[in-house]
Amino acid sequence: MANEAEKKSKTSENSMKITVSRNGPYIVTGRVPLIVSEIHSDEEGYCINWQEIKRYPLKEKYALCRCGHSGNKPFCDGTHTKIHFDGTEKGDYESFSEGAIVVSGPVLTLKDNKHLCVHAEFCLRAGGIWKLIKRSDYPEARDIAIEEAYNCPSGRLVIIDSTTGEKIEPEFEKSIVVVEYPSRNEQGPLWVRGGIPVESADGRKYEIRNRVTLCRCGKSENKPFCDGSHFER
Ligand code: FES
């Protein structure tokens, strides 16, 4: 039976929420942990893992910049009003599965919703996840494919067990990660982990998913979600 502390922590997790404000910041409520993590690459330049570099003190409520112009990132400092930020939400309400293609393999199946790509590029190592899924001659392919999907922050890539039809998903601490990509000198999106609900400025609810990424540069054409527009080659 759950003890009092466990019950309290579950109650607090259930109150976590992100509300998009009209032409303004994300309002985060419910003591959501806020972490800064960097994407790191291997010697060949392939993205390989995350390194947590900072954890902010827990707060009941805070506002995260989504216009990209705050002088106090990742928090909002009110600059969005001065720059007349247009934060119109264009994200559609199509579910992940409706927009995904299916790549079938002998052991694993991949669901891929390209629309959600944020160019984190964990999926390119060892020939790429699409090839790994189909390989039966390479025993490590399964584990690498799962690892690549787990690291995909937007959840564009979702692995399914081909035999059971069950999703294979990482278990996350419910949290928001501010993504930094030092080797590309790039500030990435806000990585929302663990199924925290996101609600639009007009009160509509987006599909709750284990991994989603929210725009924090203000340039996405799929607001409030990141569409990789921060990434310039
Ligand atoms: S949303 Fe307020 S400063 Fe960017």
Side-chain angles (χ1 to χ4, degrees):
M1 206 200 288
N3 63 31
E4 278 313 305
E6 281 169 347
K7 276 192 208 157
K8 213 170 163 185
S9 117
K10 271 284 154 224
T11 313
S12 120
E13 281 193 5
N14 291 341
S15 66
M16 291 179 180
K17 185 173 161 187
I18 299 169
T19 307
V20 182
S21 66
R22 201 171 302 282
N23 302 326
Y26 301 106
I27 308 298
V28 183
T29 48
R31 292 174 69 78
V32 179
L34 182 63
I35 298 159
V36 181
S37 285
E38 291 180 345
I39 295 177
H40 283 241
S41 312
D42 64 13
E43 43 309 325
E44 291 173 76
Y46 291 112
C47 300
I48 188 103
N49 58 23
W50 296 87
Q51 190 176 348
E52 181 176 318
I53 56 165
K54 181 170 182 172
R55 198 171 262 263
Y56 289 93
L58 271 181
K59 273 169 70 178
E60 176 55 40
K61 184 175 181 181
Y62 50 88
L64 293 176
C65 174
R66 75 178 179 107
C67 74
H69 291 272
S70 171
N72 185 33
K73 284 179 194 159
F75 302 103
C76 167
D77 69 353
T79 304
H80 59 272
T81 45
K82 291 187 205 133
I83 63 164
H84 306 290
F85 171 55
D86 178 2
T88 306
E89 290 169 76
K90 295 182 184 152
D92 53 42
Y93 290 82
E94 178 184 69
S95 71
F96 166 80
S97 289
E98 282 169 321
I101 59 155
V102 177
V103 183
S104 301
V107 184
L108 300 174
T109 295
L110 176 69
K111 281 195 174 180
D112 177 5
N113 187 330
K114 226 176 166 180
H115 188 53
L116 300 174
C117 189
V118 299
H119 306 299
E121 297 187 337
F122 284 97
C123 51
L124 303 179
R125 192 165 56 91
I129 194 166
W130 301 269
K131 284 193 181 146
L132 288 167
I133 286 290
K134 295 197 175 270
R135 286 185 71 168
S136 51
D137 58 324
Y138 177 39
E140 288 170 27
R142 178 188 182 276
D143 290 350
I144 300 174
I146 291 174
E147 189 183 306
E148 291 187 0
Y150 275 20
N151 279 324
C152 168
S154 69
R156 162 187 170 170
L157 303 168
V158 172
I159 294 278
I160 313 280
D161 183 309
S162 296
T163 311
T164 64
E166 297 289 321
K167 269 189 209 167
I168 304 177
E169 274 290 303
E171 205 167 302
F172 289 123
E173 168 193 21
K174 282 182 185 275
S175 53
I176 298 174
V177 175
V178 180
V179 176
E180 302 282 353
Y181 205 150
S183 63
R184 289 203 308 222
N185 198 20
E186 175 189 314
Q187 297 188 319
L190 297 168
W191 182 17
V192 180
R193 308 188 303 183
I196 301 171
V198 179
E199 195 171 296
S200 72
D202 61 6
R204 290 199 285 168
K205 291 172 177 51
Y206 291 101
E207 182 183 18
I208 296 178
R209 303 186 59 229
N210 192 28
R211 299 171 275 147
V212 297
T213 39
L214 299 176
C215 171
R216 71 173 176 118
C217 70
K219 297 181 197 160
S220 173
E221 290 296 319
N222 189 33
K223 294 185 186 74
F225 301 104
C226 171
D227 70 351
S229 292
H230 59 271
F231 176 53
E232 285 161 21
R233 280 189 195 269

mmCIF file with all atom_site columns, all heavy atoms in Angstrom, residues 24-25 64-70 75-80 85, ligand 1:
data_model
loop_
_atom_site.group_PDB
_atom_site.id
_atom_site.type_symbol
_atom_site.label_atom_id
_atom_site.label_alt_id
_atom_site.label_comp_id
_atom_site.label_asym_id
_atom_site.label_entity_id
_atom_site.label_seq_id
_atom_site.pdbx_PDB_ins_code
_atom_site.Cartn_x
_atom_site.Cartn_y
_atom_site.Cartn_z
_atom_site.occupancy
_atom_site.B_iso_or_equiv
_atom_site.pdbx_formal_charge
_atom_site.auth_seq_id
_atom_site.auth_comp_id
_atom_site.auth_asym_id
_atom_site.auth_atom_id
_atom_site.pdbx_PDB_model_num
ATOM   1   N  N   . GLY A 1 24 ? 2.122  34.842 -25.270 1.00 0.00 ? 24 GLY A N   1
ATOM   2   C  CA  . GLY A 1 24 ? 3.013  34.979 -24.118 1.00 0.00 ? 24 GLY A CA  1
ATOM   3   C  C   . GLY A 1 24 ? 3.613  33.641 -23.741 1.00 0.00 ? 24 GLY A C   1
ATOM   4   O  O   . GLY A 1 24 ? 3.644  32.711 -24.553 1.00 0.00 ? 24 GLY A O   1
ATOM   5   N  N   . PRO A 1 25 ? 4.092  33.539 -22.497 1.00 0.00 ? 25 PRO A N   1
ATOM   6   C  CA  . PRO A 1 25 ? 4.871  32.366 -22.083 1.00 0.00 ? 25 PRO A CA  1
ATOM   7   C  C   . PRO A 1 25 ? 4.043  31.104 -21.845 1.00 0.00 ? 25 PRO A C   1
ATOM   8   O  O   . PRO A 1 25 ? 2.815  31.119 -21.938 1.00 0.00 ? 25 PRO A O   1
ATOM   9   C  CB  . PRO A 1 25 ? 5.493  32.835 -20.762 1.00 0.00 ? 25 PRO A CB  1
ATOM   10  C  CG  . PRO A 1 25 ? 4.499  33.798 -20.213 1.00 0.00 ? 25 PRO A CG  1
ATOM   11  C  CD  . PRO A 1 25 ? 3.929  34.519 -21.399 1.00 0.00 ? 25 PRO A CD  1
ATOM   12  N  N   . LEU A 1 64 ? 7.701  30.144 -18.591 1.00 0.00 ? 64 LEU A N   1
ATOM   13  C  CA  . LEU A 1 64 ? 8.849  29.894 -19.472 1.00 0.00 ? 64 LEU A CA  1
ATOM   14  C  C   . LEU A 1 64 ? 8.671  30.647 -20.785 1.00 0.00 ? 64 LEU A C   1
ATOM   15  O  O   . LEU A 1 64 ? 7.591  30.612 -21.395 1.00 0.00 ? 64 LEU A O   1
ATOM   16  C  CB  . LEU A 1 64 ? 8.981  28.395 -19.756 1.00 0.00 ? 64 LEU A CB  1
ATOM   17  C  CG  . LEU A 1 64 ? 9.361  27.519 -18.562 1.00 0.00 ? 64 LEU A CG  1
ATOM   18  C  CD1 . LEU A 1 64 ? 9.350  26.040 -18.960 1.00 0.00 ? 64 LEU A CD1 1
ATOM   19  C  CD2 . LEU A 1 64 ? 10.726 27.901 -17.991 1.00 0.00 ? 64 LEU A CD2 1
ATOM   20  N  N   . CYS A 1 65 ? 9.743  31.292 -21.210 1.00 0.00 ? 65 CYS A N   1
ATOM   21  C  CA  . CYS A 1 65 ? 9.710  32.086 -22.441 1.00 0.00 ? 65 CYS A CA  1
ATOM   22  C  C   . CYS A 1 65 ? 9.414  31.197 -23.642 1.00 0.00 ? 65 CYS A C   1
ATOM   23  O  O   . CYS A 1 65 ? 9.956  30.104 -23.776 1.00 0.00 ? 65 CYS A O   1
ATOM   24  C  CB  . CYS A 1 65 ? 11.069 32.765 -22.632 1.00 0.00 ? 65 CYS A CB  1
ATOM   25  S  SG  . CYS A 1 65 ? 11.220 33.625 -24.200 1.00 0.00 ? 65 CYS A SG  1
ATOM   26  N  N   . ARG A 1 66 ? 8.553  31.673 -24.526 1.00 0.00 ? 66 ARG A N   1
ATOM   27  C  CA  . ARG A 1 66 ? 8.357  30.941 -25.790 1.00 0.00 ? 66 ARG A CA  1
ATOM   28  C  C   . ARG A 1 66 ? 8.541  31.866 -26.987 1.00 0.00 ? 66 ARG A C   1
ATOM   29  O  O   . ARG A 1 66 ? 8.401  31.445 -28.122 1.00 0.00 ? 66 ARG A O   1
ATOM   30  C  CB  . ARG A 1 66 ? 7.022  30.186 -25.813 1.00 0.00 ? 66 ARG A CB  1
ATOM   31  C  CG  . ARG A 1 66 ? 5.765  30.967 -26.021 1.00 0.00 ? 66 ARG A CG  1
ATOM   32  C  CD  . ARG A 1 66 ? 4.553  30.033 -26.058 1.00 0.00 ? 66 ARG A CD  1
ATOM   33  N  NE  . ARG A 1 66 ? 3.334  30.801 -26.225 1.00 0.00 ? 66 ARG A NE  1
ATOM   34  C  CZ  . ARG A 1 66 ? 2.631  30.837 -27.349 1.00 0.00 ? 66 ARG A CZ  1
ATOM   35  N  NH1 . ARG A 1 66 ? 3.016  30.144 -28.397 1.00 0.00 ? 66 ARG A NH1 1
ATOM   36  N  NH2 . ARG A 1 66 ? 1.525  31.560 -27.424 1.00 0.00 ? 66 ARG A NH2 1
ATOM   37  N  N   . CYS A 1 67 ? 8.862  33.157 -26.728 1.00 0.00 ? 67 CYS A N   1
ATOM   38  C  CA  . CYS A 1 67 ? 9.088  34.071 -27.852 1.00 0.00 ? 67 CYS A CA  1
ATOM   39  C  C   . CYS A 1 67 ? 10.549 34.046 -28.298 1.00 0.00 ? 67 CYS A C   1
ATOM   40  O  O   . CYS A 1 67 ? 10.875 34.478 -29.397 1.00 0.00 ? 67 CYS A O   1
ATOM   41  C  CB  . CYS A 1 67 ? 8.681  35.491 -27.480 1.00 0.00 ? 67 CYS A CB  1
ATOM   42  S  SG  . CYS A 1 67 ? 9.818  36.320 -26.351 1.00 0.00 ? 67 CYS A SG  1
ATOM   43  N  N   . GLY A 1 68 ? 11.433 33.567 -27.416 1.00 0.00 ? 68 GLY A N   1
ATOM   44  C  CA  . GLY A 1 68 ? 12.858 33.481 -27.765 1.00 0.00 ? 68 GLY A CA  1
ATOM   45  C  C   . GLY A 1 68 ? 13.630 34.750 -27.463 1.00 0.00 ? 68 GLY A C   1
ATOM   46  O  O   . GLY A 1 68 ? 14.824 34.828 -27.762 1.00 0.00 ? 68 GLY A O   1
ATOM   47  N  N   . HIS A 1 69 ? 12.996 35.757 -26.872 1.00 0.00 ? 69 HIS A N   1
ATOM   48  C  CA  . HIS A 1 69 ? 13.680 37.040 -26.685 1.00 0.00 ? 69 HIS A CA  1
ATOM   49  C  C   . HIS A 1 69 ? 13.857 37.458 -25.233 1.00 0.00 ? 69 HIS A C   1
ATOM   50  O  O   . HIS A 1 69 ? 14.293 38.581 -24.973 1.00 0.00 ? 69 HIS A O   1
ATOM   51  C  CB  . HIS A 1 69 ? 12.929 38.133 -27.457 1.00 0.00 ? 69 HIS A CB  1
ATOM   52  C  CG  . HIS A 1 69 ? 13.030 37.976 -28.938 1.00 0.00 ? 69 HIS A CG  1
ATOM   53  N  ND1 . HIS A 1 69 ? 14.057 38.519 -29.687 1.00 0.00 ? 69 HIS A ND1 1
ATOM   54  C  CD2 . HIS A 1 69 ? 12.261 37.286 -29.809 1.00 0.00 ? 69 HIS A CD2 1
ATOM   55  C  CE1 . HIS A 1 69 ? 13.906 38.185 -30.956 1.00 0.00 ? 69 HIS A CE1 1
ATOM   56  N  NE2 . HIS A 1 69 ? 12.818 37.432 -31.070 1.00 0.00 ? 69 HIS A NE2 1
ATOM   57  N  N   . SER A 1 70 ? 13.544 36.605 -24.295 1.00 0.00 ? 70 SER A N   1
ATOM   58  C  CA  . SER A 1 70 ? 13.702 36.976 -22.886 1.00 0.00 ? 70 SER A CA  1
ATOM   59  C  C   . SER A 1 70 ? 15.175 37.223 -22.564 1.00 0.00 ? 70 SER A C   1
ATOM   60  O  O   . SER A 1 70 ? 16.059 36.529 -23.072 1.00 0.00 ? 70 SER A O   1
ATOM   61  C  CB  . SER A 1 70 ? 13.166 35.853 -21.995 1.00 0.00 ? 70 SER A CB  1
ATOM   62  O  OG  . SER A 1 70 ? 13.501 36.108 -20.652 1.00 0.00 ? 70 SER A OG  1
ATOM   63  N  N   . PHE A 1 75 ? 13.289 31.640 -18.436 1.00 0.00 ? 75 PHE A N   1
ATOM   64  C  CA  . PHE A 1 75 ? 12.062 32.244 -17.908 1.00 0.00 ? 75 PHE A CA  1
ATOM   65  C  C   . PHE A 1 75 ? 11.644 33.449 -18.746 1.00 0.00 ? 75 PHE A C   1
ATOM   66  O  O   . PHE A 1 75 ? 12.465 34.083 -19.411 1.00 0.00 ? 75 PHE A O   1
ATOM   67  C  CB  . PHE A 1 75 ? 12.276 32.654 -16.444 1.00 0.00 ? 75 PHE A CB  1
ATOM   68  C  CG  . PHE A 1 75 ? 12.667 31.503 -15.571 1.00 0.00 ? 75 PHE A CG  1
ATOM   69  C  CD1 . PHE A 1 75 ? 13.979 31.333 -15.156 1.00 0.00 ? 75 PHE A CD1 1
ATOM   70  C  CD2 . PHE A 1 75 ? 11.735 30.547 -15.206 1.00 0.00 ? 75 PHE A CD2 1
ATOM   71  C  CE1 . PHE A 1 75 ? 14.360 30.239 -14.385 1.00 0.00 ? 75 PHE A CE1 1
ATOM   72  C  CE2 . PHE A 1 75 ? 12.101 29.447 -14.435 1.00 0.00 ? 75 PHE A CE2 1
ATOM   73  C  CZ  . PHE A 1 75 ? 13.413 29.296 -14.021 1.00 0.00 ? 75 PHE A CZ  1
ATOM   74  N  N   . CYS A 1 76 ? 10.372 33.747 -18.687 1.00 0.00 ? 76 CYS A N   1
ATOM   75  C  CA  . CYS A 1 76 ? 9.810  34.915 -19.369 1.00 0.00 ? 76 CYS A CA  1
ATOM   76  C  C   . CYS A 1 76 ? 10.147 36.153 -18.545 1.00 0.00 ? 76 CYS A C   1
ATOM   77  O  O   . CYS A 1 76 ? 10.060 36.120 -17.321 1.00 0.00 ? 76 CYS A O   1
ATOM   78  C  CB  . CYS A 1 76 ? 8.291  34.729 -19.464 1.00 0.00 ? 76 CYS A CB  1
ATOM   79  S  SG  . CYS A 1 76 ? 7.385  36.216 -19.923 1.00 0.00 ? 76 CYS A SG  1
ATOM   80  N  N   . ASP A 1 77 ? 10.544 37.246 -19.209 1.00 0.00 ? 77 ASP A N   1
ATOM   81  C  CA  . ASP A 1 77 ? 10.778 38.504 -18.488 1.00 0.00 ? 77 ASP A CA  1
ATOM   82  C  C   . ASP A 1 77 ? 9.875  39.614 -19.015 1.00 0.00 ? 77 ASP A C   1
ATOM   83  O  O   . ASP A 1 77 ? 10.113 40.782 -18.776 1.00 0.00 ? 77 ASP A O   1
ATOM   84  C  CB  . ASP A 1 77 ? 12.251 38.919 -18.572 1.00 0.00 ? 77 ASP A CB  1
ATOM   85  C  CG  . ASP A 1 77 ? 12.657 39.343 -19.981 1.00 0.00 ? 77 ASP A CG  1
ATOM   86  O  OD1 . ASP A 1 77 ? 11.846 39.204 -20.928 1.00 0.00 ? 77 ASP A OD1 1
ATOM   87  O  OD2 . ASP A 1 77 ? 13.792 39.830 -20.142 1.00 0.00 ? 77 ASP A OD2 1
ATOM   88  N  N   . GLY A 1 78 ? 8.851  39.242 -19.762 1.00 0.00 ? 78 GLY A N   1
ATOM   89  C  CA  . GLY A 1 78 ? 7.879  40.230 -20.251 1.00 0.00 ? 78 GLY A CA  1
ATOM   90  C  C   . GLY A 1 78 ? 8.223  40.821 -21.609 1.00 0.00 ? 78 GLY A C   1
ATOM   91  O  O   . GLY A 1 78 ? 7.439  41.576 -22.185 1.00 0.00 ? 78 GLY A O   1
ATOM   92  N  N   . THR A 1 79 ? 9.386  40.469 -22.169 1.00 0.00 ? 79 THR A N   1
ATOM   93  C  CA  . THR A 1 79 ? 9.803  41.046 -23.461 1.00 0.00 ? 79 THR A CA  1
ATOM   94  C  C   . THR A 1 79 ? 8.791  40.760 -24.570 1.00 0.00 ? 79 THR A C   1
ATOM   95  O  O   . THR A 1 79 ? 8.671  41.544 -25.516 1.00 0.00 ? 79 THR A O   1
ATOM   96  C  CB  . THR A 1 79 ? 11.202 40.501 -23.858 1.00 0.00 ? 79 THR A CB  1
ATOM   97  O  OG1 . THR A 1 79 ? 12.102 40.793 -22.807 1.00 0.00 ? 79 THR A OG1 1
ATOM   98  C  CG2 . THR A 1 79 ? 11.709 41.108 -25.148 1.00 0.00 ? 79 THR A CG2 1
ATOM   99  N  N   . HIS A 1 80 ? 8.062  39.644 -24.462 1.00 0.00 ? 80 HIS A N   1
ATOM   100 C  CA  . HIS A 1 80 ? 7.108  39.287 -25.538 1.00 0.00 ? 80 HIS A CA  1
ATOM   101 C  C   . HIS A 1 80 ? 6.119  40.423 -25.827 1.00 0.00 ? 80 HIS A C   1
ATOM   102 O  O   . HIS A 1 80 ? 5.700  40.589 -26.957 1.00 0.00 ? 80 HIS A O   1
ATOM   103 C  CB  . HIS A 1 80 ? 6.354  38.000 -25.181 1.00 0.00 ? 80 HIS A CB  1
ATOM   104 C  CG  . HIS A 1 80 ? 5.583  38.074 -23.921 1.00 0.00 ? 80 HIS A CG  1
ATOM   105 N  ND1 . HIS A 1 80 ? 6.125  37.779 -22.691 1.00 0.00 ? 80 HIS A ND1 1
ATOM   106 C  CD2 . HIS A 1 80 ? 4.299  38.441 -23.681 1.00 0.00 ? 80 HIS A CD2 1
ATOM   107 C  CE1 . HIS A 1 80 ? 5.206  37.944 -21.752 1.00 0.00 ? 80 HIS A CE1 1
ATOM   108 N  NE2 . HIS A 1 80 ? 4.102  38.348 -22.329 1.00 0.00 ? 80 HIS A NE2 1
ATOM   109 N  N   . PHE A 1 85 ? 5.026  39.779 -29.791 1.00 0.00 ? 85 PHE A N   1
ATOM   110 C  CA  . PHE A 1 85 ? 5.186  38.378 -30.195 1.00 0.00 ? 85 PHE A CA  1
ATOM   111 C  C   . PHE A 1 85 ? 3.858  37.785 -30.675 1.00 0.00 ? 85 PHE A C   1
ATOM   112 O  O   . PHE A 1 85 ? 2.836  37.893 -30.009 1.00 0.00 ? 85 PHE A O   1
ATOM   113 C  CB  . PHE A 1 85 ? 5.718  37.581 -28.997 1.00 0.00 ? 85 PHE A CB  1
ATOM   114 C  CG  . PHE A 1 85 ? 5.746  36.091 -29.191 1.00 0.00 ? 85 PHE A CG  1
ATOM   115 C  CD1 . PHE A 1 85 ? 6.413  35.511 -30.264 1.00 0.00 ? 85 PHE A CD1 1
ATOM   116 C  CD2 . PHE A 1 85 ? 5.111  35.252 -28.282 1.00 0.00 ? 85 PHE A CD2 1
ATOM   117 C  CE1 . PHE A 1 85 ? 6.447  34.126 -30.426 1.00 0.00 ? 85 PHE A CE1 1
ATOM   118 C  CE2 . PHE A 1 85 ? 5.143  33.870 -28.433 1.00 0.00 ? 85 PHE A CE2 1
ATOM   119 C  CZ  . PHE A 1 85 ? 5.811  33.311 -29.515 1.00 0.00 ? 85 PHE A CZ  1
HETATM 120 S  S1  . FES B 2 .  ? 7.476  34.752 -23.746 1.00 0.00 ? 1  FES B S1  1
HETATM 121 FE FE1 . FES B 2 .  ? 7.796  36.337 -22.325 1.00 0.00 ? 1  FES B FE1 1
HETATM 122 S  S2  . FES B 2 .  ? 9.790  37.039 -22.769 1.00 0.00 ? 1  FES B S2  1
HETATM 123 FE FE2 . FES B 2 .  ? 9.511  35.408 -24.204 1.00 0.00 ? 1  FES B FE2 1
#
